[in-house]
Amino acid sequence: MTGVLCMEVVCGGAAHTVAVHVEGHGREQCVLVDHDEELDGVLEWLGQERSACRAAAEAVDALQRAVPSASSRIRWISAGVHDERTLDAWKRIGATTPARVRRWTAALAGRSHRRKGGTRPHRQAIRWHREGFTRPEEVGAWITAGLGAGEARKWADAGLSVADARAWLGVGVKDHVEVVAWRRANVIRPGSRAPWAAIGVH
């Protein structure tokens, strides 16, 4: 196949185009269409991270062995996969297509307690997968409730659903052990706890 394939890249807050010229016999050339490559070089020399455009262009080469088709490669890169190690990590947890990777990254985007700098999405997904959460939609619900993978596992192991977690966290009960104790005392709904708490019973 020969021709030009283009991918949109959000770079520095603007939409840029990276063009991949496929020349046949495995030869390809990336062109940063509307990006200042000279400025890139200066900024990198000053210690700034490479631009999103440059990262996408480098990924075209880095993924060539694992994903020979240039059009498939562009779909993976557009989903945020820039190297073989990341591609393998996603595939190990069942995200075998760019669309599945996007489902995971969308679910993980709600994570509010991410450390500064963040953890890369595939590492977060692996953590959730290790805790037994294999569906991105389920993970997204736990994240929206305000829980990380380890905490969600404890709530689930205690027989509590994500809806239970949202309800109890909403009234200030952050510990699944306390929820289990209230339920043993036949206080099933979070709202039923308030009169007891008001007179100092915990």
Side-chain angles (χ1 to χ4, degrees):
M1 176 195 151
T2 58
V4 180
L5 300 168
C6 294
M7 64 179 145
E8 290 283 317
V9 178
V10 176
C11 185
H16 289 180
T17 301
V18 175
V20 183
H21 295 261
V22 182
E23 298 164 1
H25 305 293
R27 287 183 316 210
E28 298 170 353
Q29 181 185 8
C30 281
V31 177
L32 308 186
V33 176
D34 41 16
H35 187 84
D36 189 340
E37 292 187 67
E38 211 172 291
L39 177 62
D40 253 6
V42 172
L43 292 174
E44 284 179 36
W45 184 81
L46 291 170
Q48 289 195 13
E49 284 186 26
R50 63 190 172 165
S51 68
C53 283
R54 182 158 302 287
E58 289 173 7
V60 170
D61 287 335
L63 285 170
Q64 188 168 19
R65 189 172 63 86
V67 187
S69 160
S71 58
S72 295
R73 216 174 320 139
I74 286 171
R75 284 194 291 276
W76 280 105
I77 294 165
S78 297
V81 178
H82 286 188
D83 56 71
E84 285 189 44
R85 181 180 287 173
T86 304
L87 177 67
D88 290 342
W90 280 118
K91 287 185 172 182
R92 275 196 308 274
I93 64 165
T96 55
T97 65
R100 287 185 181 171
V101 169
R102 280 199 190 87
R103 281 175 50 204
W104 271 103
T105 51
L108 295 163
R111 186 171 177 130
S112 58
H113 52 285
R114 203 180 291 163
R115 287 197 306 263
K116 190 176 180 184
T119 303
R120 294 183 72 187
H122 68 279
R123 291 198 181 121
Q124 292 177 44
I126 288 167
R127 193 172 302 133
W128 282 94
H129 207 268
R130 278 191 194 131
E131 294 292 349
F133 299 100
T134 58
R135 293 183 309 110
E137 296 78 12
E138 180 186 20
V139 168
W142 284 105
I143 288 172
T144 303
L147 295 171
E151 298 162 310
R153 180 75 272 150
K154 289 174 187 171
W155 283 74
D157 286 348
L160 300 164
S161 69
V162 68
D164 295 327
R166 268 197 307 269
W168 284 95
L169 290 165
V171 297
V173 177
K174 294 181 169 43
D175 190 347
H176 69 283
V177 174
E178 185 180 346
V179 175
V180 171
W182 279 114
R183 287 185 157 201
R184 277 200 201 113
N186 208 28
V187 178
I188 305 300
R189 292 201 302 268
S192 305
R193 165 190 165 272
W196 292 103
I199 59 169
V201 176
H202 299 283

PDB file of all heavy atoms in Angstrom, residues 74-94:
ATOM      1  N   ILE A  74      -1.888   3.642  13.326  1.00  0.00           N
ATOM      2  CA  ILE A  74      -2.412   4.984  13.619  1.00  0.00           C
ATOM      3  C   ILE A  74      -3.583   4.903  14.592  1.00  0.00           C
ATOM      4  O   ILE A  74      -3.711   5.720  15.501  1.00  0.00           O
ATOM      5  CB  ILE A  74      -2.792   5.712  12.308  1.00  0.00           C
ATOM      6  CG1 ILE A  74      -1.504   6.152  11.611  1.00  0.00           C
ATOM      7  CG2 ILE A  74      -3.711   6.888  12.561  1.00  0.00           C
ATOM      8  CD1 ILE A  74      -1.702   6.696  10.214  1.00  0.00           C
ATOM      9  N   ARG A  75      -4.430   3.875  14.441  1.00  0.00           N
ATOM     10  CA  ARG A  75      -5.557   3.710  15.379  1.00  0.00           C
ATOM     11  C   ARG A  75      -5.053   3.433  16.785  1.00  0.00           C
ATOM     12  O   ARG A  75      -5.575   3.968  17.760  1.00  0.00           O
ATOM     13  CB  ARG A  75      -6.493   2.595  14.887  1.00  0.00           C
ATOM     14  CG  ARG A  75      -7.374   3.040  13.721  1.00  0.00           C
ATOM     15  CD  ARG A  75      -8.518   2.073  13.471  1.00  0.00           C
ATOM     16  NE  ARG A  75      -8.070   0.786  12.959  1.00  0.00           N
ATOM     17  CZ  ARG A  75      -7.819   0.530  11.678  1.00  0.00           C
ATOM     18  NH1 ARG A  75      -7.967   1.474  10.774  1.00  0.00           N
ATOM     19  NH2 ARG A  75      -7.436  -0.662  11.293  1.00  0.00           N
ATOM     20  N   TRP A  76      -4.008   2.590  16.914  1.00  0.00           N
ATOM     21  CA  TRP A  76      -3.434   2.312  18.237  1.00  0.00           C
ATOM     22  C   TRP A  76      -2.808   3.569  18.836  1.00  0.00           C
ATOM     23  O   TRP A  76      -3.001   3.871  20.016  1.00  0.00           O
ATOM     24  CB  TRP A  76      -2.384   1.202  18.134  1.00  0.00           C
ATOM     25  CG  TRP A  76      -2.952  -0.174  18.084  1.00  0.00           C
ATOM     26  CD1 TRP A  76      -3.043  -0.983  16.993  1.00  0.00           C
ATOM     27  CD2 TRP A  76      -3.526  -0.921  19.166  1.00  0.00           C
ATOM     28  NE1 TRP A  76      -3.637  -2.180  17.325  1.00  0.00           N
ATOM     29  CE2 TRP A  76      -3.939  -2.170  18.658  1.00  0.00           C
ATOM     30  CE3 TRP A  76      -3.737  -0.641  20.521  1.00  0.00           C
ATOM     31  CZ2 TRP A  76      -4.538  -3.142  19.448  1.00  0.00           C
ATOM     32  CZ3 TRP A  76      -4.339  -1.618  21.319  1.00  0.00           C
ATOM     33  CH2 TRP A  76      -4.737  -2.837  20.781  1.00  0.00           C
ATOM     34  N   ILE A  77      -2.074   4.306  18.014  1.00  0.00           N
ATOM     35  CA  ILE A  77      -1.423   5.529  18.506  1.00  0.00           C
ATOM     36  C   ILE A  77      -2.476   6.544  18.936  1.00  0.00           C
ATOM     37  O   ILE A  77      -2.342   7.188  19.983  1.00  0.00           O
ATOM     38  CB  ILE A  77      -0.488   6.116  17.421  1.00  0.00           C
ATOM     39  CG1 ILE A  77       0.686   5.160  17.163  1.00  0.00           C
ATOM     40  CG2 ILE A  77       0.034   7.495  17.834  1.00  0.00           C
ATOM     41  CD1 ILE A  77       1.466   5.445  15.891  1.00  0.00           C
ATOM     42  N   SER A  78      -3.548   6.664  18.162  1.00  0.00           N
ATOM     43  CA  SER A  78      -4.621   7.595  18.512  1.00  0.00           C
ATOM     44  C   SER A  78      -5.310   7.209  19.816  1.00  0.00           C
ATOM     45  O   SER A  78      -5.886   8.060  20.496  1.00  0.00           O
ATOM     46  CB  SER A  78      -5.649   7.673  17.379  1.00  0.00           C
ATOM     47  OG  SER A  78      -5.034   8.184  16.216  1.00  0.00           O
ATOM     48  N   ALA A  79      -5.227   5.918  20.168  1.00  0.00           N
ATOM     49  CA  ALA A  79      -5.791   5.449  21.445  1.00  0.00           C
ATOM     50  C   ALA A  79      -4.796   5.613  22.595  1.00  0.00           C
ATOM     51  O   ALA A  79      -5.090   5.244  23.735  1.00  0.00           O
ATOM     52  CB  ALA A  79      -6.217   3.988  21.331  1.00  0.00           C
ATOM     53  N   GLY A  80      -3.599   6.153  22.295  1.00  0.00           N
ATOM     54  CA  GLY A  80      -2.618   6.421  23.345  1.00  0.00           C
ATOM     55  C   GLY A  80      -1.545   5.373  23.515  1.00  0.00           C
ATOM     56  O   GLY A  80      -0.784   5.396  24.481  1.00  0.00           O
ATOM     57  N   VAL A  81      -1.464   4.424  22.582  1.00  0.00           N
ATOM     58  CA  VAL A  81      -0.462   3.357  22.669  1.00  0.00           C
ATOM     59  C   VAL A  81       0.720   3.735  21.788  1.00  0.00           C
ATOM     60  O   VAL A  81       0.583   3.818  20.568  1.00  0.00           O
ATOM     61  CB  VAL A  81      -1.059   2.001  22.229  1.00  0.00           C
ATOM     62  CG1 VAL A  81      -0.003   0.910  22.268  1.00  0.00           C
ATOM     63  CG2 VAL A  81      -2.241   1.638  23.112  1.00  0.00           C
ATOM     64  N   HIS A  82       1.891   3.965  22.422  1.00  0.00           N
ATOM     65  CA  HIS A  82       3.039   4.480  21.680  1.00  0.00           C
ATOM     66  C   HIS A  82       4.229   3.528  21.608  1.00  0.00           C
ATOM     67  O   HIS A  82       5.233   3.858  20.976  1.00  0.00           O
ATOM     68  CB  HIS A  82       3.501   5.807  22.288  1.00  0.00           C
ATOM     69  CG  HIS A  82       2.580   6.943  21.974  1.00  0.00           C
ATOM     70  ND1 HIS A  82       2.878   8.239  22.286  1.00  0.00           N
ATOM     71  CD2 HIS A  82       1.359   6.986  21.382  1.00  0.00           C
ATOM     72  CE1 HIS A  82       1.898   9.030  21.900  1.00  0.00           C
ATOM     73  NE2 HIS A  82       0.965   8.290  21.347  1.00  0.00           N
ATOM     74  N   ASP A  83       4.147   2.383  22.277  1.00  0.00           N
ATOM     75  CA  ASP A  83       5.289   1.462  22.231  1.00  0.00           C
ATOM     76  C   ASP A  83       4.799   0.031  22.427  1.00  0.00           C
ATOM     77  O   ASP A  83       3.672  -0.200  22.871  1.00  0.00           O
ATOM     78  CB  ASP A  83       6.341   1.830  23.298  1.00  0.00           C
ATOM     79  CG  ASP A  83       5.757   1.856  24.686  1.00  0.00           C
ATOM     80  OD1 ASP A  83       5.440   0.777  25.220  1.00  0.00           O
ATOM     81  OD2 ASP A  83       5.611   2.959  25.259  1.00  0.00           O
ATOM     82  N   GLU A  84       5.669  -0.923  22.104  1.00  0.00           N
ATOM     83  CA  GLU A  84       5.287  -2.341  22.158  1.00  0.00           C
ATOM     84  C   GLU A  84       4.977  -2.802  23.577  1.00  0.00           C
ATOM     85  O   GLU A  84       4.079  -3.621  23.784  1.00  0.00           O
ATOM     86  CB  GLU A  84       6.402  -3.215  21.567  1.00  0.00           C
ATOM     87  CG  GLU A  84       6.465  -3.160  20.058  1.00  0.00           C
ATOM     88  CD  GLU A  84       7.423  -4.192  19.487  1.00  0.00           C
ATOM     89  OE1 GLU A  84       7.400  -5.353  19.956  1.00  0.00           O
ATOM     90  OE2 GLU A  84       8.179  -3.833  18.566  1.00  0.00           O
ATOM     91  N   ARG A  85       5.711  -2.305  24.550  1.00  0.00           N
ATOM     92  CA  ARG A  85       5.478  -2.730  25.939  1.00  0.00           C
ATOM     93  C   ARG A  85       4.071  -2.350  26.397  1.00  0.00           C
ATOM     94  O   ARG A  85       3.361  -3.142  27.006  1.00  0.00           O
ATOM     95  CB  ARG A  85       6.527  -2.094  26.851  1.00  0.00           C
ATOM     96  CG  ARG A  85       6.359  -2.511  28.305  1.00  0.00           C
ATOM     97  CD  ARG A  85       7.408  -1.881  29.172  1.00  0.00           C
ATOM     98  NE  ARG A  85       8.685  -2.523  28.939  1.00  0.00           N
ATOM     99  CZ  ARG A  85       9.825  -2.104  29.463  1.00  0.00           C
ATOM    100  NH1 ARG A  85       9.856  -1.031  30.214  1.00  0.00           N
ATOM    101  NH2 ARG A  85      10.938  -2.767  29.236  1.00  0.00           N
ATOM    102  N   THR A  86       3.658  -1.134  26.063  1.00  0.00           N
ATOM    103  CA  THR A  86       2.307  -0.689  26.424  1.00  0.00           C
ATOM    104  C   THR A  86       1.263  -1.502  25.668  1.00  0.00           C
ATOM    105  O   THR A  86       0.244  -1.900  26.238  1.00  0.00           O
ATOM    106  CB  THR A  86       2.144   0.816  26.119  1.00  0.00           C
ATOM    107  OG1 THR A  86       3.175   1.537  26.802  1.00  0.00           O
ATOM    108  CG2 THR A  86       0.796   1.331  26.583  1.00  0.00           C
ATOM    109  N   LEU A  87       1.518  -1.762  24.392  1.00  0.00           N
ATOM    110  CA  LEU A  87       0.603  -2.584  23.587  1.00  0.00           C
ATOM    111  C   LEU A  87       0.433  -3.962  24.216  1.00  0.00           C
ATOM    112  O   LEU A  87      -0.690  -4.455  24.389  1.00  0.00           O
ATOM    113  CB  LEU A  87       1.149  -2.707  22.166  1.00  0.00           C
ATOM    114  CG  LEU A  87       0.362  -3.584  21.187  1.00  0.00           C
ATOM    115  CD1 LEU A  87      -0.994  -2.974  20.884  1.00  0.00           C
ATOM    116  CD2 LEU A  87       1.148  -3.779  19.900  1.00  0.00           C
ATOM    117  N   ASP A  88       1.543  -4.596  24.606  1.00  0.00           N
ATOM    118  CA  ASP A  88       1.495  -5.922  25.232  1.00  0.00           C
ATOM    119  C   ASP A  88       0.737  -5.880  26.560  1.00  0.00           C
ATOM    120  O   ASP A  88      -0.032  -6.793  26.871  1.00  0.00           O
ATOM    121  CB  ASP A  88       2.908  -6.466  25.475  1.00  0.00           C
ATOM    122  CG  ASP A  88       3.613  -6.841  24.179  1.00  0.00           C
ATOM    123  OD1 ASP A  88       2.912  -7.011  23.152  1.00  0.00           O
ATOM    124  OD2 ASP A  88       4.850  -6.954  24.181  1.00  0.00           O
ATOM    125  N   ALA A  89       0.953  -4.812  27.339  1.00  0.00           N
ATOM    126  CA  ALA A  89       0.275  -4.682  28.640  1.00  0.00           C
ATOM    127  C   ALA A  89      -1.236  -4.623  28.446  1.00  0.00           C
ATOM    128  O   ALA A  89      -1.993  -5.295  29.151  1.00  0.00           O
ATOM    129  CB  ALA A  89       0.777  -3.438  29.380  1.00  0.00           C
ATOM    130  N   TRP A  90      -1.693  -3.821  27.489  1.00  0.00           N
ATOM    131  CA  TRP A  90      -3.135  -3.741  27.224  1.00  0.00           C
ATOM    132  C   TRP A  90      -3.681  -5.094  26.759  1.00  0.00           C
ATOM    133  O   TRP A  90      -4.741  -5.532  27.222  1.00  0.00           O
ATOM    134  CB  TRP A  90      -3.429  -2.682  26.159  1.00  0.00           C
ATOM    135  CG  TRP A  90      -3.442  -1.268  26.656  1.00  0.00           C
ATOM    136  CD1 TRP A  90      -2.612  -0.257  26.275  1.00  0.00           C
ATOM    137  CD2 TRP A  90      -4.346  -0.689  27.611  1.00  0.00           C
ATOM    138  NE1 TRP A  90      -2.927   0.900  26.935  1.00  0.00           N
ATOM    139  CE2 TRP A  90      -3.998   0.669  27.752  1.00  0.00           C
ATOM    140  CE3 TRP A  90      -5.409  -1.194  28.349  1.00  0.00           C
ATOM    141  CZ2 TRP A  90      -4.667   1.532  28.605  1.00  0.00           C
ATOM    142  CZ3 TRP A  90      -6.093  -0.333  29.208  1.00  0.00           C
ATOM    143  CH2 TRP A  90      -5.716   1.009  29.334  1.00  0.00           C
ATOM    144  N   LYS A  91      -2.959  -5.753  25.867  1.00  0.00           N
ATOM    145  CA  LYS A  91      -3.453  -7.026  25.337  1.00  0.00           C
ATOM    146  C   LYS A  91      -3.548  -8.097  26.428  1.00  0.00           C
ATOM    147  O   LYS A  91      -4.442  -8.936  26.397  1.00  0.00           O
ATOM    148  CB  LYS A  91      -2.573  -7.493  24.180  1.00  0.00           C
ATOM    149  CG  LYS A  91      -2.798  -6.668  22.917  1.00  0.00           C
ATOM    150  CD  LYS A  91      -2.024  -7.208  21.739  1.00  0.00           C
ATOM    151  CE  LYS A  91      -2.423  -6.485  20.459  1.00  0.00           C
ATOM    152  NZ  LYS A  91      -1.736  -7.015  19.279  1.00  0.00           N
ATOM    153  N   ARG A  92      -2.629  -8.044  27.406  1.00  0.00           N
ATOM    154  CA  ARG A  92      -2.654  -9.031  28.498  1.00  0.00           C
ATOM    155  C   ARG A  92      -3.922  -8.933  29.341  1.00  0.00           C
ATOM    156  O   ARG A  92      -4.331  -9.912  29.947  1.00  0.00           O
ATOM    157  CB  ARG A  92      -1.428  -8.870  29.403  1.00  0.00           C
ATOM    158  CG  ARG A  92      -0.201  -9.609  28.898  1.00  0.00           C
ATOM    159  CD  ARG A  92       0.862  -9.776  29.967  1.00  0.00           C
ATOM    160  NE  ARG A  92       1.236  -8.545  30.627  1.00  0.00           N
ATOM    161  CZ  ARG A  92       2.162  -7.690  30.183  1.00  0.00           C
ATOM    162  NH1 ARG A  92       2.795  -7.943  29.056  1.00  0.00           N
ATOM    163  NH2 ARG A  92       2.447  -6.602  30.848  1.00  0.00           N
ATOM    164  N   ILE A  93      -4.536  -7.754  29.402  1.00  0.00           N
ATOM    165  CA  ILE A  93      -5.762  -7.640  30.194  1.00  0.00           C
ATOM    166  C   ILE A  93      -7.014  -7.647  29.301  1.00  0.00           C
ATOM    167  O   ILE A  93      -8.095  -7.292  29.743  1.00  0.00           O
ATOM    168  CB  ILE A  93      -5.754  -6.404  31.116  1.00  0.00           C
ATOM    169  CG1 ILE A  93      -5.709  -5.097  30.307  1.00  0.00           C
ATOM    170  CG2 ILE A  93      -4.632  -6.478  32.117  1.00  0.00           C
ATOM    171  CD1 ILE A  93      -6.056  -3.882  31.124  1.00  0.00           C
ATOM    172  N   GLY A  94      -6.838  -8.054  28.044  1.00  0.00           N
ATOM    173  CA  GLY A  94      -7.986  -8.236  27.161  1.00  0.00           C
ATOM    174  C   GLY A  94      -8.348  -7.039  26.307  1.00  0.00           C
ATOM    175  O   GLY A  94      -9.327  -7.082  25.563  1.00  0.00           O
TER     176      GLY A  94
END
